[in-house]
């Protein structure tokens, strides 16, 4: 392929120049660059996609200085794939060139077949593909250009996988963050198994994962049972990347890798069972799949199949991973299982609901500690999970499951903080104080998510329905409430009973909350109100370990976009539960009094401004009237009402308390 024949699309130009695709379209409409008229090159023809001659684009980038790639002239050959070329044909030729080191562009097809027979005499991954090729020379010349423009076969393959040809049949794989996480966990497991390198067994699923992890292991084992037509492509890519491959698993420990992301949901647990059955001794299996199947509550046959796998006792670690790790469905959360060949380790689980909370090294450390059942260390993420709870049709990973948090603050520090706060709250209006005393320090504090408490039937969540202003009855006695309190809509009691007999009503002690935008909550002390959606009710049961006012206070301290309410964590209080809740109830009352005073002050401010502006009132000088407090004061001559009353006493406007 000559330079004149080579072409680039707008997408190729964006990759070559190191800019976003819309930038190239903008360049086409701006012929001036650095004060000179340098029009964008004309397209070759009007066919789609629009293509441009490679040498003209390279010259235009050099003249204008546009783009972020100073080596555009050297990289350009890598991005000008031949029109109509097959990605697998190009990968096959790149594999052949990488294995021989020979240039292919000037060789005949028979010569290429001879080379393939020498490299792959058993036709394991290359020979039949070379034999089936036709019109080889343009593709072979491109592969030579690609190899020359790249820093080794691995970079050449990376560029080929991002080329125009690859983009024509996109596969939306895992993100780099997901790959880095699985790689870190897999390497941690391997080092825990043996001080020397162990093999990685590809048990099916994503080739992307196997290739990303293969370089970290002794070899990549692709069992013959897993070999299919697309497996040959995996072996070719492994050869290009310099990854040793084999079909037989060597004796000793190994790490098995299986991705069921994108698999048929009905076949997922059968595929996982096949992987677990292949584990021997100390070997470890990493299984990546949808959290909806691996972690969440299930029902029917799917729940039974998963329960059978959990009952075996091979599952030692399960994690719900944050959304955004799978490009195909960025809103779907993934789940990770770590299984072992033996059955004497307890199950530990965790819910990592935000990407900002994801630290691959810490996840790997927790996995290794779970494999060894190491109770001498603190887990950042994982918590023990009773298998019998999972077998009782509960979720493997209840939402919001986090590790126990270690307490580092001394009791005296807590006392000082409370004292400092009450020095402010004890001021009149009226005063509010909390009396505390030091107690023995606790090494750790247990926290549970609302999802865990719901699973344990220690709370229930009730939904409301929508009401609007048309439902309002000024004389009504039944309030409609949401997460911030009464909405101002009231209904007649009889009408409410007849028209909304199945509507959700609050009970005394219910926590009414909202999770949209900024979370907010309050406790209904009376009950009987109608709940307006999207607000919901949390109804705590005895033994929940937290009081309603404590729960409401925790919700009100959450930041914006706090995530799924079931993942919100609350402390499990073993002492002073009622005393803390009573103190927070009093704090809520105090806050309401302050808001009432502030509202009154705002009303007073508005009234004073309006009254004085309209001439209805005058404000007397307070210092003057203090001196005349016992003297007579006459009304204003103009007939307006002054700030001095009929008895000559100054009427105070506001006392600064």
């Amino acid at each position: 392929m000559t330079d004149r024949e080579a072409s680039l699309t707008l997408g190729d130009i964006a990759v070559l120049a190191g800019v976003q695709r819309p930038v190239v379209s903008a360049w086409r409409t701006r012929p001036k660059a650095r004060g000179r008229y340098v029009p964008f090159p004309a397209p070759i023809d009007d066919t789609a996609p629009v293509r441009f001659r490679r040498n003209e684009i390279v010259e235009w980038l050099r003249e204008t200085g546009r783009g972020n790639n100073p080596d555009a002239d050297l990289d350009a050959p890598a991005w000008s794939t031949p029109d109509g070329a097959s990605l697998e044909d190009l990968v096959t030729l790149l594999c052949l060139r990488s294995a021989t080191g020979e240039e292919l562009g000037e060789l005949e097809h028979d010569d290429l077949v001879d080379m393939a027979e020498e490299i792959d005499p058993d036709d394991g991954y290359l020979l039949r593909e070379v034999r089936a090729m036709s019109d080889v020379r343009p593709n072979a010349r491109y592969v030579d250009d690609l190899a020359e423009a790249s820093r080794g076969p691995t970079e050449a393959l990376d560029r080929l996988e991002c080329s125009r040809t690859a983009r024509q049949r996109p596969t939306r794989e895992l993100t780099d963050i997901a790959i880095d996480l699985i790689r870190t966990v897999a390497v941690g497991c391997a080092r825990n198994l043996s001080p020397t390198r162990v093999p990685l067994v590809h048990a099916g699923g994503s080739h992307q994962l196997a290739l990303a992890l293969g370089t970290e292991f002794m070899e990549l084992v692709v069992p013959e049972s897993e070999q299919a037509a697309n497996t040959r492509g995996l072996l070719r890519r492994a050869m290009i990347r310099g990854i040793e491959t084999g079909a037989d698993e060597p004796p000793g420990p190994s790490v098995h890798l299986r991705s069921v992301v994108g698999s048929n949901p009905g076949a997922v647990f059968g595929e996982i069972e096949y992987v677990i059955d292949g584990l021997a001794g100390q070997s470890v299996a990493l299984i990546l799949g949808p959290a909806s199947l691996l972690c969440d509550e299930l029902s029917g046959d799917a729940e039974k199949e998963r329960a059978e796998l959990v009952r075996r006792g091979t599952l030692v670690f399960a994690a719900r991973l944050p959304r955004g790790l799978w490009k195909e469905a960025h809103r779907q959360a993934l789940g990770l299982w770590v299984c072992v060949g033996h059955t004497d380790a307890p199950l530990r689980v965790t819910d990592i609901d935000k990407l900002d909370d994801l630290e691959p090294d810490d996840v790997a450390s927790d996995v290794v500690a779970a494999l060894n059942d190491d109770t001498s260390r603190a887990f950042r993420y994982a918590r023990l999970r009773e298998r019998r709870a999972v077998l009782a049709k509960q979720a493997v990973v209840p939402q919001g499951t986090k590790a126990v948090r270690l307490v580092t603050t001394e009791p005296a520090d807590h006392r000082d903080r409370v004292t400092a706060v009450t020095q402010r709250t004890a001021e009149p209006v009226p005063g509010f104080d909390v009396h505390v005393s030091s107690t023995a320090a606790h090494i750790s504090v247990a926290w549970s998510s609302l999802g865990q408490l719901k699973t344990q039937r220690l709370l229930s969540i009730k939904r409301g329905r929508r009401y609007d202003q048309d439902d309002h009855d000024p004389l009504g006695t039944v309030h409609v409430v949401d997460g911030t309190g009464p909405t101002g809509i009231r209904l007649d009691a009889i009408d409410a009973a007849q028209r909304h007999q199945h509507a959700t009503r609050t009970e005394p002690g219910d926590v009414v909350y909202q999770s949209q935008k900024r979370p907010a909550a309050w406790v209904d002390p009376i009950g009987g109100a109608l709940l307006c959606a999207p607000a919901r009710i949390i109804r705590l049961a005895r033994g929940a370990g937290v009081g309603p006012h404590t729960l409401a206070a925790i919700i009100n301290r959450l930041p914006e976009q706090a995530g799924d309410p079931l993942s919100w964590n609350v402390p499990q209080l073993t002492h002073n539960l009622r005393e803390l809740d009573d103190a927070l109830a009093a704090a809520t009352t105090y806050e309401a009094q302050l808001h009432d005073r502030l509202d009154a002050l705002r009303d007073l401010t508005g009234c004073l401004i309006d009254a004085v502006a309209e001439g209805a009132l005058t404000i007397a000088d307070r210092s003057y009237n203090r001196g005349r407090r016992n003297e007579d004061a006459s009304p204003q001559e103009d007939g307006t009402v002054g700030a001095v009353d009929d008895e000559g006493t100054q009427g105070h406007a506001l006392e600064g308390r």
Side-chain angles (χ1 to χ4, degrees):
M1 182 171 59
T2 65
D3 286 352
R4 186 167 185 80
E5 294 170 337
S7 64
L8 297 170
T9 64
L10 292 174
D12 297 332
I13 298 170
V15 175
L16 174 63
V19 298
Q20 297 294 322
R21 167 65 178 77
V23 174
V24 182
S25 296
W27 285 347
R28 296 184 68 188
T29 63
R30 299 173 184 172
K32 285 190 176 182
R34 299 181 180 180
R36 299 175 53 216
Y37 184 77
V38 188
F40 198 85
I44 296 174
D45 51 40
D46 295 332
T47 60
V50 179
R51 296 174 299 120
F52 303 83
R53 292 181 177 84
R54 184 179 75 194
N55 57 346
E56 294 180 359
I57 292 297
V58 170
E59 180 62 21
W60 183 85
L61 290 173
R62 186 190 63 78
E63 279 195 57
T64 60
R66 284 176 169 164
N68 301 313
N69 183 9
D71 298 325
D73 56 334
L74 301 177
D75 293 335
W79 302 113
S80 53
T81 55
D83 294 331
S86 162
L87 176 62
E88 288 306 315
D89 283 352
L90 297 177
V91 172
T92 299
L93 290 172
L94 180 60
C95 178
L96 186 63
R97 193 185 194 286
S98 301
T100 63
E102 299 288 338
E103 294 188 9
L104 310 179
E106 302 304 323
L107 298 179
E108 299 294 334
H109 182 240
D110 291 342
D111 298 328
L112 299 180
V113 173
D114 292 341
M115 294 171 64
E117 288 179 342
E118 183 177 351
I119 296 168
D120 183 26
D122 298 328
D123 191 19
Y125 60 94
L126 184 65
L127 180 56
R128 75 180 66 167
E129 287 79 7
V130 176
R131 283 176 174 166
M133 287 182 181
S134 60
D135 192 19
V136 176
R137 187 154 293 179
N139 292 349
R141 288 175 177 171
Y142 165 73
V143 169
D144 287 341
D145 291 343
L146 173 65
E148 181 184 16
S150 304
R151 301 172 183 84
T154 297
E155 184 180 64
L157 179 61
D158 289 339
R159 290 182 168 185
L160 189 55
E161 298 280 17
C162 298
S163 66
R164 177 200 325 168
T165 302
R167 294 196 299 269
Q168 290 174 353
R169 56 166 202 176
T171 54
R172 306 183 69 181
E173 296 276 3
L174 302 173
T175 64
D176 292 340
I177 296 175
I179 294 173
D180 181 54
L181 171 65
I182 303 302
R183 180 194 295 114
T184 304
V185 172
V187 171
C189 293
R191 291 175 180 171
N192 181 65
L193 292 174
S194 173
T196 59
R197 300 177 78 190
V198 300
L200 175 68
V201 180
H202 173 65
S206 172
H207 293 177
Q208 179 195 27
L209 271 180
L211 293 170
L213 274 60
T215 55
E216 305 288 344
F217 290 79
M218 180 176 69
E219 67 173 333
L220 175 62
V221 178
V222 184
E224 292 184 359
S225 59
E226 293 296 332
Q227 294 190 11
N230 63 345
T231 308
R232 294 172 66 87
L234 168 63
L235 295 175
R236 287 192 292 272
R237 287 166 172 79
M239 186 271 165
I240 294 172
R241 294 185 181 278
I243 300 173
E244 293 289 335
T245 60
D248 299 320
E249 182 178 351
S254 58
V255 175
H256 294 236
L257 180 66
R258 181 68 163 103
S259 172
V260 293
V261 176
S263 296
N264 180 1
V268 163
F269 294 117
E271 296 173 2
I272 295 175
E273 181 181 17
Y274 179 78
V275 175
I276 294 176
D277 288 341
L279 292 178
Q282 298 297 316
S283 294
V284 175
L286 303 184
I287 300 167
L288 186 70
S292 58
L293 294 176
L294 300 187
C295 302
D296 299 341
E297 289 187 12
L298 293 176
S299 60
D301 293 339
E303 188 278 327
K304 294 177 182 178
E305 292 180 33
R306 187 176 70 181
E308 286 299 320
L309 295 177
V310 175
R311 185 175 285 109
R312 296 186 179 196
T314 58
L315 177 62
V316 297
F317 182 88
R320 179 188 289 105
L321 303 177
R323 293 183 176 91
L325 298 181
W326 184 26
K327 298 177 183 177
E328 184 71 26
H330 67 279
R331 294 180 63 85
Q332 177 175 323
L334 298 182
L336 174 65
W337 277 15
V338 180
C339 302
V340 293
H342 55 86
T343 59
D344 57 355
L347 172 61
R348 287 180 168 86
V349 302
T350 187
D351 178 16
I352 309 172
D353 58 348
K354 296 180 181 178
L355 283 175
D356 292 342
D357 296 335
L358 181 61
E359 291 291 342
D361 290 336
D362 291 345
V363 175
S365 297
D366 277 11
V367 169
V368 171
L371 291 173
N372 299 326
D373 192 17
D374 185 1
T375 58
S376 64
R377 69 180 294 278
F379 287 81
R380 173 173 177 183
Y381 296 104
R383 286 185 64 179
L384 283 171
R385 177 74 168 146
E386 292 289 340
R387 292 185 193 275
R388 60 185 179 184
V390 180
L391 299 178
K393 300 184 179 181
Q394 295 183 13
V396 176
V397 184
Q399 283 188 300
T401 302
K402 300 290 189 297
V404 173
R405 302 179 184 180
L406 295 181
V407 173
T408 58
T409 307
E410 294 293 331
D413 294 336
H414 284 296
R415 181 194 61 208
D416 293 342
R417 290 176 59 190
V418 171
T419 302
V421 171
T422 54
Q423 284 177 347
R424 300 198 306 269
T425 59
E427 296 177 359
V429 200
F432 178 81
D433 200 359
V434 176
H435 300 282
V436 298
S437 60
S438 299
T439 61
H442 288 270
I443 296 176
S444 61
V445 176
W447 291 69
S448 293
S449 68
L450 298 186
Q452 289 174 277
L453 296 179
K454 181 182 178 185
T455 299
Q456 298 166 9
R457 302 184 186 279
L458 295 176
L459 64 79
S460 59
I461 297 179
K462 307 292 184 181
R463 297 170 179 262
R465 52 151 294 179
R466 297 184 65 179
Y467 301 87
D468 54 40
Q469 199 61 39
D470 293 339
D471 297 321
H472 177 60
D473 182 352
L475 302 178
T477 57
V478 179
H479 290 272
V480 176
V481 299
D482 61 13
T484 59
T487 61
I489 299 174
R490 291 181 297 175
L491 303 179
D492 178 77
I494 296 177
D495 287 343
Q498 293 176 346
R499 295 170 52 197
H500 309 292
Q501 58 179 331
H502 298 299
T504 301
R505 288 178 180 256
T506 62
E507 293 181 1
D510 278 352
V511 179
V512 186
Y513 77 97
Q514 65 182 29
S515 57
Q516 288 77 11
K517 298 181 180 179
R518 188 175 187 88
W522 63 286
V523 178
D524 188 349
I526 301 173
L530 293 170
L531 181 66
C532 183
R536 297 186 182 182
I537 288 173
I538 297 176
R539 190 165 293 161
L540 297 172
R542 185 183 300 274
V546 65
H549 292 280
T550 305
L551 176 57
I554 291 172
I555 294 174
N556 287 325
R557 295 178 62 200
L558 291 174
E560 293 185 11
Q561 309 300 330
D564 192 324
L566 291 179
S567 67
W568 295 348
N569 279 263
V570 296
Q572 294 296 284
L573 303 174
T574 57
H575 66 288
N576 280 155
L577 186 154
R578 175 168 295 182
E579 290 79 1
L580 173 61
D581 209 63
D582 290 344
L584 293 177
T588 302
T589 302
Y590 177 73
E591 182 181 15
Q593 292 174 343
L594 291 179
H595 281 299
D596 182 67
R597 300 294 177 88
L598 288 174
D599 290 340
L601 180 59
R602 293 189 186 98
D603 290 341
L604 174 61
T605 302
C607 288
L608 288 174
I609 293 173
D610 293 340
V612 172
E614 294 173 8
L617 293 176
T618 60
I619 306 299
D621 182 10
R622 295 188 63 191
S623 60
Y624 170 76
N625 281 282
R626 278 196 297 269
R628 301 184 57 216
R629 193 171 292 272
N630 296 321
E631 298 179 10
D632 293 336
S634 60
Q636 302 270 343
E637 292 183 356
D638 59 4
T640 60
V641 179
V644 181
D645 60 20
D646 293 337
E647 297 179 0
T649 304
Q650 168 68 31
H652 66 274
L654 182 66
E655 289 290 340
R657 293 178 59 84

